[in-house]
Amino acid sequence: MPQGAYHFPKGFLWGTATAAHQVEGNNTNNNWWKWEQEGHTDGSAAVAADWWGGRWREDFDRAVEAGQNAHRLSVEWSRIQPTPDTWDEEALEKYRAMLRGLKERGMTPMVTLHHFTDPLWLEEVGGWETEAVVPLFEKFVRKTVDALKEYCTLWCTINEPTGYALNGYITTGVDSFPPGKNNMKLAMQVQANLIRGHAAAYRAIHLLQPEARVGIAHHYRSIAPQYAWSPLDRLLARSFFQAINESFPLALADGVMRSPIGSVRIPEAKGTQDYFGFNYYTREYVTFDLRHADTLFGRHFFRKDAELSDDAFLALEPDGMFEGLKWVVRNFPNLPILIAENGVNSADDSIRPRYTAQHIHQMWRAVNFNWPIKGYFHWSLVDNFEWSFGWKYRFGLWGLDVDTQKRIKRPSVDFYAEICKENGISSDMVQKYCPEVFEKLFPS
Ligand code: IFM
């Protein structure tokens, strides 16, 4: 049996990622909480993983014991600015304590300033639908970064902005986001304002902290035509690829947002990334189907023989990660890359070890081409509130009993710890935690 290890460069960041609404609990003053109470989701975030009650301490302890040297978390706008005219200094102090907590444990913090949720007061004045949001977001960012900059230099302005715009303004199914509208023109308007908001935040952060590294976390979804010979399937795959994967990030490269309904010039966005934040989970296929007028006649599905996660939420398509990284390098040749999220919902942990091993292997292939990948944040440290799907989908290395707040150790905890401590993945580890993919990673 071949022996060996895939190692990563010195100083590589190994961490996990979380988001405020998903772990803090009782974020009652934002649009998601309202959406949950209106019954659009499978249950409510409720007390979540109780980070606001202080349980971040024990979770950070577990993370550092498990060899992680970084953590990506987000701050909740509605806590920091509960009304347009007030700041909650105590909330900022709590976030300072969390970041200090990371520093004290020798971990590098990465802070996301917007991760899907908006304060209710913002939603009441139209959220991201009008340009009025841009100075409001900038003001919030200035206040927050000024308060937290002692502990953090790595900032993500907006998490998965395309997902925010499409799920909130086009998707009508179970996975829709607030405000649950179905209006393509509005979706593009929202996306344009997210780009403007990001650009304003980028400049504001650099004025406050010249050494800051600022970017977004972009959700890259691999999309392939069912039949490569079919011009219609290819056209559909190309159009969805453009809308989902290219529209937002390419606007940060050249200042033009291209969308299915036209282009918008946003020159101030050009060159506003210091790194490329890349989230990857899965690949989907698309084929022309007259019965799917609602999705531009594209029927989306996972590969027939692909392995699926719980409830068929994700398909295991690790090489889509390599494909995505190649796309990043081609379009953003000068930017360092951070894998800002990657993970799988697997409540019994039966899939997670092989999902993790295969994706880290694909990331290593990319590193081996000398592509500038600087870190990996596994989604997630502990089970958390999975938006529309509530507590049904479990993404944590650690499981969570929401009622008792007891953390449940999954085998992946030790596996990922070995990877972080080794700064790589070895044949012994694969043999121990997911022997079923040994031959794929270490072919004889
Ligand atoms: O839980 C989410 C996260 O908030 C954003 N990226 C995808 C994750 C898993 O669906």
Side-chain angles (χ1 to χ4, degrees), residues 160-163 216-224 238 240-242 244-246 249 276-284 314 317-332 339-342 355 359:
E160 300 182 352
T162 308
I216 58 160
H218 174 58
H219 190 133
Y220 179 95
R221 194 154 170 116
S222 176
I223 301 172
R238 177 70 208 126
F240 284 108
F241 188 90
Q242 201 261 334
I244 292 172
N245 291 324
E246 296 194 323
F276 195 97
F278 178 85
N279 295 1
Y280 176 78
Y281 288 88
T282 196
R283 168 188 288 141
E284 68 187 32
L314 300 169
E317 298 277 13
D319 62 326
M321 180 149 171
F322 182 82
E323 165 211 299
L325 290 169
K326 191 170 173 183
W327 175 88
V328 176
V329 172
R330 191 168 354 107
N331 288 287
F332 300 90
I339 312 295
E341 283 180 31
N342 172 244
Y355 181 99
H359 285 80

Side-chain angles (χ1 to χ4, degrees), residues 19 22 115-116 159-160 219 279 281 313 341 379 384-387 395:
Q22 294 178 270
H115 194 123
F116 293 162
N159 177 72
E160 300 182 352
H219 190 133
N279 295 1
Y281 288 88
F313 186 52
E341 283 180 31
W379 186 274
N384 53 57
F385 181 72
E386 180 55 28
W387 308 112
F395 276 90

Side-chain angles (χ1 to χ4, degrees), residues 123-136:
E123 190 186 63
E124 278 154 22
V125 295
W128 290 81
E129 292 173 19
T130 75
E131 268 192 70
V133 66
V134 177
L136 297 175

Side-chain angles (χ1 to χ4, degrees), residues 354-369:
R354 60 177 170 275
Y355 181 99
T356 307
Q358 292 180 93
H359 285 80
I360 289 178
H361 176 235
Q362 293 295 331
M363 176 168 76
W364 178 85
R365 283 183 61 214
V367 167
N368 207 34
F369 276 99

